[in-house]
Amino acid sequence: MLVVLPLMVLVDRKWTHRPAYQSEWLPAGNVHLRALRVGQGDTTLVLIHGYGESLLAFRGIIGPLARHFRVNAIDLPGSGLSERPASFALDSIVDDLSDFLDRSTDGPVVLVGHSMGGEIAAALALKRPDRIVRLVLIAPAGFGLGFGLADEAFSERQRELAAWSLKVRGLILQTDDPTWITDPPGLPSGVRAGNAAREAAAAVLRDFDFTALKDRYRLIQQPTLLLWGGLDPLIPVSIGRQIAEAIPNCRLVVIGNSWHRPHVEQPERVIHEIENFLSTKAME
């Protein structure tokens, strides 16, 4: 009995475990996005992931932030489990997400965007100052890149290599996790078909301009928090300092011993900085 009872408890826990979250398919322009909406409060935080990732990149910060805010994490069009759009151009994606805000959020919105998602968040803030009250940008693209790519377009070879690397990264960067999130039936057609992820990754590099906001960051009027890994090789912190100087109402926080994904590498620090930023009126 002393042996059987613990085994029975372990089996019972295994079979009664339920994922913490349930996603939805929500419209955004002409596509449907996988979205996770949790939490409560007057303000909605919309979390926008980086290139080649999904909303799962924010797993470490969603729960704690949802204790104080409504949190809405999405898979970008063509990423994760969301439908692929007709175009991956920045303006096209921003139009889709602007429609998403109108259909699926209420009240003031704070955008939290990482890397490519940070550039999208900044562009969306320029388009929708009526809805977006603050910005949290984590090593955003839009100004320049490292590795000598700051002023260069991606070559065909670079697109092929990046698309191949994304396929490899997919073994590490999950697009779904049934132990953490349950997805509803009715997966948008073609999302998991063949080489869809690799083809979409190559299309992003063909259509998306990663330096499109170089002369537009200065136009952002919302209070902005910049979070940057001090060891970031992809978008070095030197670029972060230039963006911080360009945005009129901005604070840069450099997180030491962190690379390009501080929200994954040091989630507690990122949560602290976001909550402090949203609780203070010092920047208003």
Side-chain angles (χ1 to χ4, degrees), residues 72-94:
N72 197 328
I74 63 171
D75 286 351
L76 283 168
S79 296
L81 300 184
S82 291
E83 287 182 305
R84 179 171 172 170
S87 170
F88 287 102
L90 175 61
D91 289 345
S92 179
I93 294 176
V94 167

Side-chain angles (χ1 to χ4, degrees), residues 66-211:
R67 291 197 293 261
H68 307 290
F69 309 98
R70 286 181 290 177
V71 177
N72 197 328
I74 63 171
D75 286 351
L76 283 168
S79 296
L81 300 184
S82 291
E83 287 182 305
R84 179 171 172 170
S87 170
F88 287 102
L90 175 61
D91 289 345
S92 179
I93 294 176
V94 167
D95 286 344
D96 286 342
L97 296 192
S98 178
D99 180 68
F100 173 81
L101 292 182
D102 289 337
R103 295 195 194 192
S104 301
T105 66
D106 297 311
V109 171
V110 175
L111 300 181
V112 180
H114 167 241
S115 195
M116 174 183 169
E119 178 178 355
I120 293 169
L124 185 54
L126 289 170
K127 181 181 179 69
R128 296 301 305 271
D130 58 313
R131 293 294 313 280
I132 298 162
V133 296
R134 291 195 178 199
L135 282 174
V136 177
L137 305 179
I138 306 173
F143 194 95
L145 302 175
F147 303 122
L149 297 174
D151 299 310
E152 300 176 14
F154 283 98
S155 68
E156 184 63 31
R157 180 59 176 162
Q158 286 169 326
R159 287 198 294 269
E160 291 175 359
L161 289 173
W164 177 85
S165 69
L166 179 62
K167 188 174 183 179
V168 174
R169 287 172 69 204
L171 300 174
I172 303 173
L173 303 179
Q174 299 169 284
T175 58
D176 59 347
D177 180 358
T179 67
W180 183 75
I181 188 170
T182 300
D183 297 314
L187 184 71
S189 61
V191 169
R192 287 202 178 106
N195 293 320
R198 197 179 77 156
E199 293 169 358
V204 169
L205 298 184
R206 183 185 65 241
D207 296 346
F208 193 87
D209 184 351
F210 285 86
T211 60

Side-chain angles (χ1 to χ4, degrees), residues 180-251:
W180 183 75
I181 188 170
T182 300
D183 297 314
L187 184 71
S189 61
V191 169
R192 287 202 178 106
N195 293 320
R198 197 179 77 156
E199 293 169 358
V204 169
L205 298 184
R206 183 185 65 241
D207 296 346
F208 193 87
D209 184 351
F210 285 86
T211 60
L213 299 187
K214 192 163 189 176
D215 297 320
R216 297 176 60 197
Y217 270 114
R218 61 184 176 81
L219 302 177
I220 293 174
Q221 296 302 312
Q222 293 92 337
T224 300
L225 172 65
L226 280 178
L227 298 176
W228 226 283
L231 304 176
D232 192 338
L234 181 59
I235 310 181
V237 69
S238 59
I239 291 177
R241 294 189 178 96
Q242 293 178 73
I243 294 176
E245 291 178 0
I247 298 176
N249 197 357
C250 181
R251 184 166 73 93

